[in-house]
Amino acid sequence: MTAVLTKPSRGVLKPSVSSPSVMPPPPLISSPYGSNLQQNGSHSNSFTPSVAPSIPPYGQPPPAAFHSMAQSPPPVQQLTNQMSAMDIAGYGQRPLQSPSNSAAPQFLNSPPPLMGHPGHQMPSPVSSPLMTSMGPIPGGPMAGSYGAQMAGPQTAGIPGSFSPSGSQMAGPAQKKLDPDSIPSTTQVIEDDQIKRGGQIYVTNVRGQVPPLVTTQFTVQDQGNASPRFMRCTTYSFPCTADLAKQCKVPLAAIIKPFATLPENETPLYVVNHGETGPIRCNRCKAYMCPYMQFMDGGRRFQCAFCSCVNDVTPEYFQHLDHMGRRVDLYERPELSLGSYEFVATLDYCKNNKPPNPPAYIFMIDVSYNNIKSGLVKLICEELKTLLERLPKEEGAESSLIKVGFVTYNKILHFYNVKSALAQPQMMLVSDTAEMFVPLLDGFLVNYHESNAVINNLLDQIPDMFADTNESETVFAPVIQAGVEALKAADCSGKLFIFHSSIPTAEAPGKLKNRDDRKLVGTEKEKTLFQPQRGVYEQLIKDCVSQGCSVDLFLFPSQYVDVATMGDVPSHTGGSVYKYNNFQVEVNGQQFLSDLRRDVEKFIGFDVVMRVRTGTGFRATDFFGAMFLKNTTDVEMAAVDCDKAVTVEFKHDDTLSEESGALMQCALLYTTIGGQRRLRVHNLSLNCSSQLSELYKSCETDALINFFAKTAYRAILNQPLKAVREILVNQTAHILACYRKNCASPSAASQLILPDAMKVFPVYMNSLLKTPVLVGSTDLSTDDRVFHRLLVNSMGVEETQVLLYPRLIPLHNMDVSSEEIPAPLRCSEERLSDSGVFLLENGLTMFLWLGHACPAELLQNLFNVSSLTHLSSEGLQTVKQKDRAELLFRQLLIEDKGLHGGASYMDFLCYVHREIRQLLS
Amino acid sequence: MATYQEFIQQNEDRDGIRCSWNLWPSSRLEATRLVVPVSCLYTPLKERPDLPPVQYEPVLCSRATCKAVLNPLWTDYGVLGPQSGFLINLFPPSYAGISEVNQPAELMPQFSSIEYIVQRGPPSPLIFLYVVDTCLEEEDLQALKESLQMSLSLLPPNALVGLITFGRMIQVHELNCEGIAKSYVFRGTKELAPKQVQEMLGLVKPATSGQQGKPMAPYDGTASCRFLQPVQAVDMNLTDLLGELQRDPWPVPQGKRPLRSTGIALSIAVGLLEGTFPNTGARVMLFTGGPPTQGPGMVVGDELKTPIRSWHDIQKDNARHLKKATKYYEALANRAAVNGHSVDIYACALDQTGLLEMKCLANLTGGHIVMGDSFNTSLFKQTFQRVFSKDYNGEFRMAFGASLEVKTSRELKVCGAIGPCVSLHSKGPCVSDNEMGVGGTCQWKICSLTPATTLALYFEVVNQHNAPIPQGGRGAIQFVTQYQHSNTQRRIRVTTIARNWADAQSQIQHIESSFDQEASAVLMARLGVFRAESEEGPDVLRWLDRQLIRLCQKFGQFNKDDPNSFRLSESLSLYPQFMFHLRRSPFLQVFNNSPDESSYYRHHFVRQDLTQSLIMVQPILYSYSFYGPPEPVLLDSSSILPDRILLMDTFFQLVIYHGETIAQWRKAGYQEMPEYENFKQLLQAPLDDAQEILQSRFPMPRYIDTEHGGSQARFLLSKVNPSQTHNNLYAWGQLGLGSSLHYIIRVPCQPSIKTEKKRRNLERQSSQMTLVCRFSWTISRNWLFPVQPKLLLLISEDCTT
C-alpha cells in the first residue's frame, strides 16, 4: 500500500479549495480551537497510557492494494495557506496555536484509483480561492469513486466545543465543498461488498486482512480463527515497540468468542482427549493448536508461543509425514483449525465437581410504576411462551436450564413452583439488609416439569399486585438474592431483572439522585459516569465468583442512576436495556423482542478467558463486560453470542517477521447443558518493520471499536475534554505518521489518507459526537451512561453500524426485489422532501417521511391520505419538521451534531490542519 | 370445731388454700423460730362448680392504700374492716337494703372466695400461635401435623390462630390469602429488634426520617389479621397448609445437626403478638424436635461431634452457649410476660432440646412444658389434646393474662411467690423487704393458668414481740386475681382468708397441731427448688437438712442419749419422710438426669397443686395380689415381692412391675386359659388403674410396663427406699452428697394395720385418682420416725456451724 503514496494516483487527494484570504475571520474559529488545543496539550499526559501512547501503523488490506496502482496521480490542488506558521512540538505537548492561524486545511485523499474508474481521477477542480464560487462540487463524477475527494476547507468545523462559531460557520455565506468529494463510508462498504462479497474467505494465510464486517462472505477455517470470532486493528504488527509508538496505531484484537456463525459455516468441533484432558504446553500452558511444531519423529513438539519443547504423550503420538506434519493432521481439529473446543476434565471445574446446568431467574419489579404501565402483565404473558424456548444443548430434547421467579418492590417475594404443588407458594423476605434465599427445593425448577404451577403463578402475579401502591424499590438485595439462590443450588446462571425506578427504599445499595447536569463540562463530569461503590462492588465479586450474570431491563420515567445500576451487569457479562417512559403500546414490541432474543441466545457461563501470545508481545489490557481478577485472567460470569472483549497488545520485545505474531484465546466455560468446555481461537498475524505494511493491514472498523472502548473507559478518570482531545490528536498523529513515513512527498496542504483508513475520520468524528463524548447538558445523564455501557461489550459489527448508521431510501425501492436499497450517506442533504427513509444504528430505527412524500405511498403504507392525518403515535415514524426529527437528526452523523460536534467536513479540515502542524 | 384435718380440707375445697400453719405466731421472732414460714399454697382458679360468678363490679375499700375488696371479714370488723374506713358509706345504692339477714353474696362466710364478671373493654379473642419446627423426621412431622390439624377442631371457633414454621429459616404464614400461599421468611441467624420484626411483617410503617412509625391499633384488621385469623374462617386453609408442610429442605451434611432457628422463631412469634395484640391472652405453642443450633438462643452447634451440654459440663463451666442462650430466652420471656402472652414448649426428641435454656419462657409466662421422645407417641398426642380439655361448663381449662394481687392485714407482709409468675413490681405497704421466691411486690402476672395452677406465697409476720396481738385477733390475707376467662370474659376471683393469732410461748401445742405438714413439705420443697435454680445442689440440700433439723429440734421430744425415745407429734410425723424423698427426688438431684429433664421436672413441680406435688416428692406404690384387694404399700424394696404386681406413680412415670412369679406365669400364658381367669383379672387390675391416671393427668405420664429383671425395672428400683438391697446402685449412687441425715431417716417403720380401714373410708368420698394419692398420706401418717437423737444432734451441730 505504500502505493498510496509512492503512486500519487492513489493517495493523493484533491486539494481543497479554500483560500485563506477568503476564509472567515480566524478568531471565530480559532478561539474555540485554541482553548481546546491547550487543554489537549496539558492533559494528554494524564490520559491512560493504554490510549495515548499507542500510535499505530497503517495499513490496507492486501487485496485492496492491487488496484489503482497504475493510476496517474491526480492533480493535487493546493491552496494557499498560512499553516507554515504553526509550530508543532509533538503529540503530547503541543504548544498553543496562535489563533491567528486560520484553518484552511487541504485534503488529500487517495484519488479514486480503481482501474475501472479512471475517469474519476479527474483532476479535482481547481478551486479557486473563492469558495463561494465553487458551490457544491457536482457529485456526479465523483460517485462510485473511492478515494479522492476534495474536502472543502471549512473554517469552522472543529470538534469539541463548538457551538457559537459552528453555527456561524453554517451560514449561507459559507463556501461549500462538495460533500461527495470526501471519502464515503457507504461507498467503501459497497466496494468491499462488490469485491469480496459472496466469496469464501479461507483462513490459511497468516496476516491476511478479512473483508469488512459489513460484507457478506463465508469463512472457511483453515488454521486461523474466523474474523467473526477475532478481528484485529491491524494484521501486520510492527516489529518493534518503537515503531508501534511512532505510528500510534493501537494493536488490539476484538474477540467475540461465541459469535453466531451463519448456517453455511461449520460449527466448532468438539475434541475430547479423555481423562488426560486437553494437550497443553508444559510451560506456558497454551493449548494444542496448528502452530505447534512437531519434531523428533512426532515424539515431541515445540510450543509456538513460548518455544518450550514438550514430550508427546504416548496416547497422542502420531508419525510425521515428509513435510514434518503429523499424518493425522486433518483428522484432528486442534491441529488443523483456528477454532475448536475441548471437553474439559474435572480439573477445570470448580471444586473438581462437574457443574450443574445453569439457572435463569426472572426478577420482576412489581412496584406501582410497572404495574400501572402494564409491564408486569406483559412480562408474565410473554414468559409463558418464552420459557418453552430456553436454549438447549445441541441435540438435547429439552433445555436443562432451571428457572426461578422473584417479584419485588421494597421487599422480595420468592416463589415455590415445585411441580408437586397444586398452587405456587409465595415467600416474602423483608430483611433486605442481609439478603438470603428462603427456599431451596422448588425455587429453581425444570420448566417442563413445573409447567402448570409456573403458568398458574404467571397468571396470578399481575392480579396479586394489581392494587399495589408501593412505589419504593430495592435493587442490590435483588441481585444478592439471585446470587444466593444460585449459590444454594450450586450452579451458575443469569438474572433477568425488570426494574422501574431508582432504588430508594431503605436497604443496601440504596441510591439517591445525583444527576447534576451542572457538572457537565467540568472536571467533575466524570463522576456522573462513575458508579457508586460499596455494596455494588462486592456484588460484582459475588456474582463473578458464582457465575451469575445479570441482565437488567430498565423502565425508567426519570433518573435512575444507570451508572450504578448498570455496574453489576456490565461486569458480569450481562446486558442493560433501557426503555424510557415505557408504554406497552409504544415500546412493547421492542421490549419483547429484546427479551426473547436475550433469553434464547447462546451463552456460556462461569467463564475464564486467557489470551496467550507468542514471545515479544502480550495482552495488556481488556475491555468488555467482564471482571479482571489479575492482569491475565479475564473472568466473566457469562458470555453470550453478542459480547465481545477488546484486547490491547503491547510489545515487550522485538517481533520477527519470520515467526509473525501468534495469539491464542482460550475460554473455559460451562455450557447451557452443564458441561465444562474449553473454546480455543487461534490467530496468526504478520510482523513487519515497515510501517507501510501496517497501514496497509489496518482495519478501520476494529480500530474504531478499540477507540470507542478506550475513550469510554477513559472518561471515568479524565475530563471529557481531555479525552476528546486525545482522540483527535491520536487521529491526527496516526494520519500524520502515515503521511510522513509512507506517503510520497506532496504538498502540505494535501490530506493524504491511507486507503485502509480512508473513512477513519468519519467514524472518529461520529464517535466524538456520541452522547457519551459530546458533553451536552441537554442529554440525559442516564442515556449517556447507558450508551457507554452498551458500547463496552460491543463487537466490531455493532460499533460500526452504531457509529455509521444505515440510511436506506425506501421510496423508490423495488418491491419485487429482495435487495435492500443501498444505504446513503448519513447526511441531511441526502434526504429528499418527497422521500421515505429508514435510519437505523442497531439500537434505534426511524422511519422518516418527507413532507412531500407521495400521498399514494402514504396511503399504501399507513392507510392515511396525507401526512397531517398520520399520527406519530406509531413510534419511530418521524415526519419531516416534526419535533421528533431532532432525535433522527442526531444519527445523521456526517452533519453537524445537534448537541455540538463538527460535521464530517469540518472535522476533516480540522484533522488536516492538525496533521499539517504535526508535519511541519 | 372439727379436727385440723377437716378444717384444712374444708379450706382447700372452698378457697384453694393450704397454709403451712393454721394458727399464726403473733410476733416476728416467734415466727422465725418456727422454721417453716407462714406461707400458703394458693390455687387461684380452683374449680368451684358450686360457685356461680356474680355479674357486678366488686366494691373496694375507699382508702387508696387499701382498696381491699368487700368480703365476709368486713362484717366482723376484724381485720380489714378497721383499716378500711366507714364501710356503710362505701356501699353503692344497690347495697342499700343490706342487713343481717339480707346480705350480698360477698358478705356471706361461705363466699370467702367469690368470682366477679366485669366489663373491661371489648372481649378479646383467644389467640393460639403455633410455632412449628420442621427439622423433624418424616414420621414425627407427620404425627405432629395430624395433631395440629386435629387441634383446630378443639379451638373455640372465634379464636385467632397463627402459624410460624422454622428450620434453617423462619416462615410466618399468612392465613387469609386466596390462591397463592404466602409466608414471610426470616433468616435464623440474625437477631431482630421487635420493631424490625413488626416492620418486616408489614405491621407498622417503617419509621421514615423525621416521622415516627406508628403501630397499628390492635384489632385493626388487615395487617395483623393476615397472620392471625379466626379458626372458623381459615380452618380449611390452615388444614391444607399444615398438610403441605414439608421437612426443612436444606440439606444436612453428614455429621451435622439440622440448623434449627428456634431462637429467632420465638422472637418473631413474641414480636408478632406484641405488635398486634398486646395485653391480650395468647399462647405461643412451640413444637420442637431438637435443640436450637443457630442464631441467637443457640444451645449447641451443628457439629454432631460436639454433644449438647450435660450437668457435668455445666458444673465444669464448659457449656459454651448456656449463659448467652439463657439470657436471650429470659429476655424474650419477659417481653412475652409483659404483654400477657404465654409460651408453651412441646419438646419431643430422644436427646435434649434445650429446655434448660428455654424453660424460663414457660416458667415466667405460665406456659406448659411437655417433654417426650417423639411426636408420634400417645404421650404427646394425648397431652396436647388435654391442653384443650374443657371443664364442667364446657369451657376451656385455661385462663389468660391474670394478675394476682395480695393484700394483707397490717401484721403481715408478703415476701414473695413461687410459681409460674413474674413480678409486676408493685410496691405496696404490705410488701416485705425479705424476699422469698419472686418478691418485692404484691402483684404478680400469670400469663396463663389452669384450674390446677398453684402458687406458693410466703409471708412474714411483722408484729414486734413486745406488741402482741390481742388474743382472739385474726390475721387476714386477700387474694385478688383478675384474669381473662377462656370465654373471653374478664373476671375477678377474690379469696379472703383469716387465721387466728397465737402466742407461741403459751400456745405452742396449738400451733404445732395447726401445722399442715403436707403443705409445709411442698412449700419448703418449692423454696428448695427455687434455690436449686441458682445455687449449687449440695448447698440446697444442706439448707433443707438444716431446716429439717431445726424443726425437729423445736418440736421433737426425746431423752438425751436415747435415740429410741425420739418422737414427733402426729402433725409433724410425716414431714421428715417427705424431706427424705425430696432430697432424693430429681428436683434436687441432678445425677442421672439431663439438664433438660431437671428443668422439666422442676417446671412442673413449681406449679402443680398440693396433691400432685406430693406425688412428685414421694411417689406412691400400690400392690396387687391374690391375697386381697389392691393396697398401697411402702415405697420400699421390701414391697417388691415375687407374687405381687406393683403400680408406682411418680407423676412423671407410671410403672407397672410384675414380680418374678407373676412374670413367669404371664410368660407361660396362664392368663389365656379359662381356668385362670382370676390371674387374667389380676393382670388387668393395675392396667385399669393406670389407665385412669393416664386419662386425667397433665402432662400424661410416661407409661412403663415391666417385670422382675426387666431393664425398665430401674424406674421402680431407683425410687424405692433400698432397705433390703444394700448394693442397689440406683438408690445410693445419687446420694453421695450431703449430710448423713439420710442414714438417720432412711428406715421407715412398718405400716400400721389401720391402713385398710382408712382406705375404705376415703374411697367413698374421692375419685380414684385423688384416692390413690390420699392413700399414700394416710399410710404414711402412721409411720413412725425412728431417728437416733444422738446422731441427729451431732449433725445439727455440724450443720449449724
Side-chain angles (χ1 to χ4, degrees), chain A residues 410-411 415 418 421-441 457 460 464 488, chain B residues 169 171 174 178-187 189-190 192 199-202 205-206 208 241 244 246 249-251:
Chain A
K410 65 179 187 187
I411 67 172
Y415 296 91
K418 200 151 81 171
L421 294 173
Q423 280 272 356
Q425 291 174 351
M426 177 181 187
M427 302 174 116
L428 299 89
V429 174
S430 18
D431 185 2
T432 47
E434 282 175 61
M435 205 54 220
F436 61 96
V437 197
L439 75 170
L440 184 63
D441 201 17
L457 172 69
Q460 292 201 46
M464 265 193 293
Chain B
M169 291 169 187
Q171 278 178 267
E174 261 188 41
E178 304 288 315
I180 289 186
K182 291 187 194 171
S183 57
Y184 281 72
V185 188
F186 296 82
R187 70 158 79 213
T189 49
K190 189 177 160 194
L192 298 168
E199 276 174 22
M200 287 179 179
L201 289 173
K205 285 274 162 220
T208 46
L241 194 58
E244 284 195 348
Q246 297 294 315
W250 301 86

Side-chain angles (χ1 to χ4, degrees), chain B residues 95 113 176 201 309 390 404 425 579 581 658 684 709 754:
Chain B
Y95 284 60
S113 284
N176 65 338
L201 289 173
R309 77 279 173 288
K390 293 183 178 172
L404 169 66
H425 305 291
M579 288 300 123
H581 286 288
H658 298 88
Q684 191 57 41
K754 292 187 206 160

Side-chain angles (χ1 to χ4, degrees), chain B residues 14 94 124 153 165 175 201 217 230 243 303 342-343 364 379 382 471 509-510 530 542 544 577 582 614 631 677 700:
Chain B
R14 193 183 58 220
S94 55
S124 10
S153 63
T165 55
L175 298 181
L201 289 173
E303 287 284 353
S342 73
V343 183
L364 301 186
L379 188 147
Q382 299 204 15
Q471 288 291 311
Q509 270 83 17
H510 288 114
F530 187 82
R542 255 195 296 278
L544 266 182
Q577 190 77 30
L582 176 64
L614 278 180
E631 53 175 359
E677 177 67 22
M700 196 168 108

Side-chain angles (χ1 to χ4, degrees), chain A residues 409 562 704:
Chain A
N409 37 50
V562 175
I704 202 71

